[in-house]
Amino acid sequence: MQELASPELIAKYEPVIGLEVHCQLATRTKIFCGCPTSFGAPPNTNVCPTCLALPGALPVLSREAVELAIKGSLALNCAVNPVSQFARKNYFYPDSPKGYQISQYDKPLSEHGFVDIVAGGAPKRVGVTRIHMEDDAGKSQHDGFKDSSRFTYVDLNRSGTPLIEIVSEPDMRTSDEAVAYFAEVKQALEFVGVSTCDMEKGHLRCDANVSVRVKGAEKFGIRAEVKNLNSFRFLKLAIEYEIARQVAIAESGGRMFQETRLFDPETGQTVGMRSKEDAHDYRYFPEPDLVPLRVGEKWLADVRSTMPELPTVKRKRFIEVYGLSEYDADVLTQSRPIGEYYDAVAIATGDPKTSANWVMGDLTALLNTAGTEIGNSPVTAKSLAELLGLIASGELSGKLAKDVLAKMFESGDTAPAIMEREGLRQISDSGALGAIVDEVVAANPKQVEQYRSGKTAVIGFLVGQVMKQSRGQANPAAVNELLKAKLS
Ligand code: ADP
Ligand code: MG
Ligand code: ZN
């Protein structure tokens, strides 16, 4: 049994955490050949001599992959190097047919970035050391380990899929900061369209480097690297387990050694996999089959010009220009589609606050019930803005508008079309309302009496009666006015 330290002991230590995030680029083809990257094809069908590493086959770098990697770099505030270099990282793995990975080593694509996070209420900047490009390996599938027959199948469809690896500075101090950083990186990459970041498909995974040191100590402790975490929850659990394990070792006078560990979701524990290789074990050398990658100013500017507004910038604009609360701005920048949808409604209505309420409230509720993403909303931003315009001009009450929105969502029709069809229109006209008000006053002598004797709260009941008679179409403010005038 692994010994774990108590919270009291853990409190004496400061954890130090750095993450390496691997992200699959959203290209249609692999990084060094034309094979498709599509997920779920029958095993070993998306392959060719290059990604099978047959002798004599040469890699050709995908321009699309480089452009996505540049976009990812810009999204994480990294400086793109004018010249970077691919390098061979040599190691043997059964699902890596070349016997090495083509990665980048001392000349990565980009460096010196940062990610701003908020964890535990405090804003913090986490450094991004570098981003490099590399190819992915295939996949091994282990089968039959529970009985005497043991098989491992190798599927090379994934071999040669383009990845970027984003290496952070060891700047994080809690598991919550690590989760916030990972979430922020994911959101930025999704926004920019660098990757689908689908964690279930392994498009985004991270390795957590964790060490502990006595609080106040200057030197970092020896780290363990927990590989391949593919959910926020596992990242948090793995880091917390590591902290407790490492503190227990330190407290018992034991020594840490640098190692690679695996997280087991079933037990919530990490287990040692191998002692960690040092860079020299990989015998890195420049990839002889690829020329250095040159990203000139013109190319960089072209890619930069295709960048959308980044989530942090959008969030700030929603707060400063639209006057939204931090919470609302946060919700409305969770994904690029919701941000763009809301922006379009706010611009069309000129009323950012009301637009925010409807997008976050009624529309989101309808989307959730239907299990639909906002990108596929049957009510377009333009139609929602039109509906809000009808409320502003007094043609629809807020309550009627809710019903109309639900019908718009169902049918895909516009608000005017539905109002026409259903004969729905707010009645503000005092002539038409006056008749109903008279009827209600005549039918409810008891309440009228109460009102006149000073129990003015009873007016709510009378307004309700008028609303009922008008099938919800009366303008409540106008009814209130009319009733007061009539009863006084
Ligand atoms: P390697 O290839 O050996 O994993 P990298 O440079 O790619 O090395 O990544 C090292 C990662 O470990 C970085 O994210 C870095 O911030 C982090 N790191 C380095 N030293 C420590 C430490 N003592 N404790 C925790 N994390 C560390
Ligand atoms: Mg590593
Ligand atoms: Zn191929």
Side-chain angles (χ1 to χ4, degrees), residues 30 32-36 46-52 159:
K30 295 184 180 180
F32 299 125
C33 63
C35 294
N46 290 345
V47 290
C48 74
T50 297
C51 55
L52 289 173
S159 165

Side-chain angles (χ1 to χ4, degrees), residues 10-85:
I10 290 173
K12 287 167 52 187
Y13 288 80
E14 177 180 58
V16 171
I17 304 156
L19 297 190
E20 296 161 76
V21 175
H22 293 265
C23 163
Q24 178 176 330
L25 300 174
T27 55
R28 277 158 299 134
T29 57
K30 295 184 180 180
I31 184 169
F32 299 125
C33 63
C35 294
T37 51
S38 49
F39 187 84
N44 298 308
T45 54
N46 290 345
V47 290
C48 74
T50 297
C51 55
L52 289 173
L54 298 186
L58 290 172
V60 177
L61 179 59
S62 153
R63 188 180 178 89
E64 194 192 359
V66 176
E67 292 185 348
L68 288 179
I70 293 174
K71 284 188 176 188
S73 299
L74 296 175
L76 301 175
N77 307 295
C78 288
V80 176
N81 289 323
V83 182
S84 55
Q85 171 86 59

Side-chain angles (χ1 to χ4, degrees), residues 452-469:
R452 291 196 166 127
S453 66
K455 285 192 187 152
T456 50
V458 78
I459 198 164
F461 169 81
L462 296 169
V463 172
Q465 293 303 302
V466 177
M467 294 306 293
K468 213 171 179 179
Q469 290 247 358

Side-chain angles (χ1 to χ4, degrees), residues 16 18 20 130 167-170 209 211 220-221 223 225 276:
V16 171
E20 296 161 76
R130 63 173 200 273
V167 182
S168 87
E169 290 292 305
N209 294 269
S211 66
F220 286 160
R223 69 183 152 118
E225 177 176 351
K276 170 88 184 152

Side-chain angles (χ1 to χ4, degrees), residues 358 362 398-408 418 424:
W358 281 82
D362 286 83
K399 188 177 168 310
L400 268 185
K402 281 175 192 283
D403 299 341
V404 172
L405 180 63
K407 287 181 176 138
M408 290 165 71
I418 286 163
L424 291 175

